[in-house]
Amino acid sequence: MAASSPPPRVESLSNPVQQLVINGEQVPENYIHRNTDDGPICASFPVTEIPIIDLGLLTSSSPTGEPELEKLRSALSSWGCFQAINHGMASSFLDKVRAVTKEFFALPMEEKQKYSRTLEDIEGYGNDTVVTEHQTLDWTDRLYLLVRPEDQRKLKLWPENPDTFRDTLNEYTEKLGQLTEIVLKAMAKSLSLDDSCFLDHCREGALMYTRFNLYPVCPRPDVILGLKPHADGSTITFLLQDKEVEGLQVLKDDQWVGVPIIPQALLINLGDQSELASNGIFKSLVHRVVTNSERERISVATFLLPHPDMEIEPANGLVNEQRPRLYKKVKNYVSLYFHNYQRGKRPIVHSKFKFIFLLFFISYGLYRKQVAQGNSWAFIEEEHHMVVHWYNVLSREV
Ligand SMILES: O=C(O)CCC(=O)C(=O)O
Ligand SMILES: [Fe+2]
């Protein structure tokens, strides 16, 4: 092969991390983070209070709901997540979801491998797809299942062991479906938009995937991550954390901070598709998972995604002359997402208008010209608004 030809395409499945641990194998090189632009990997970053939102108050029509809506808007614009309490699920039920997750991962390897994913599919039991030779792998095993729409479920990948697994997942999905409506409506209300603005993305044919994560005990937590930094590609994500073992960290003001465990809470993360639909007012949460040399950890993440044919773009009410349109229209964002994730990149960057700087450049040029001609400020302002207006109109068509 000529020296200039591209390296061969590497696409394969990696072995379950649990298998490496059981076999006592040396940690393969491709799990080690060599150049951490993202700062040191450290499990002991400060644990900080994440905003707590009472979902019962969000649905209340009395004035007590107003401050909670304001809290929600502020949490999603500054953090991109919140701890949801009073969500209608009993603590004993959340414990049951955690218990079936642990029981599944505790099964013998041959039993779990009955549900193994293939290279062509994202669903099933397994680990990262290796897409490039430079990829750093995550220290985690997963069981990834589509739970909605129900008629698209691949039941052959749904464990029959433990025997309560399927019923528990069914009930959990049902309950998260109810919460979805509450949260998406409140998100719209908090921005003074029509109630259906975010909900419309997730009605007919919307997808819901649940991912059961296991982070086995790791011999090198100083250089290995459970999950590399990412923001979810979803509209929102519901995350049920391990009840005892911490590990999730979020990026806040360029610092990694640990997320405390509130056993009865669900952490709700804002995904890229809502950042985009809110024209950047809400921020999708950048997060990662650190590993632990003493205890394994589990978590259960449920991702809510628009139907792949649905076009998502900044809401009309959030694009104006003061706030130009920041993102392009996207469709099937998740396909873009996976391609980038394994390469450690953020796909939302590709949805940003690259030529927003042009807007400022043109405005500045006009400003200089008008000042030179001695025109009034009001005239200059009017011309600036016209430029922004045309930018908004034209960027809609891209
Ligand atoms: O395990 C966690 O706490 C986070 C999981 C997560 O971020 C994901 O599955 O996308
Ligand atoms: Fe995530």
Side-chain angles (χ1 to χ4, degrees), residues 211 213 215 227-228 230-233 237 239 248 269 285 287-289 301 303 337 341:
R211 185 152 86 190
N213 298 310
Y215 304 94
L227 269 191
K228 46 188 159 286
H230 67 285
D232 296 340
T237 304
L239 183 75
L248 177 64
N269 296 350
L285 177 78
H287 52 290
R288 68 180 189 182
V289 176
F303 307 93
Y337 183 84
Y341 175 76

Side-chain angles (χ1 to χ4, degrees), residues 28 31 48 71 75 131-132 141 241 248 258 275 318 330 341 347 355 391:
Y31 282 93
T48 316
K71 243 167 93 183
V131 293
T132 79
D141 293 339
Q241 287 211 75
L248 177 64
E275 173 170 326
L318 301 176
V330 296
Y341 175 76
F355 53 96
Y391 167 83

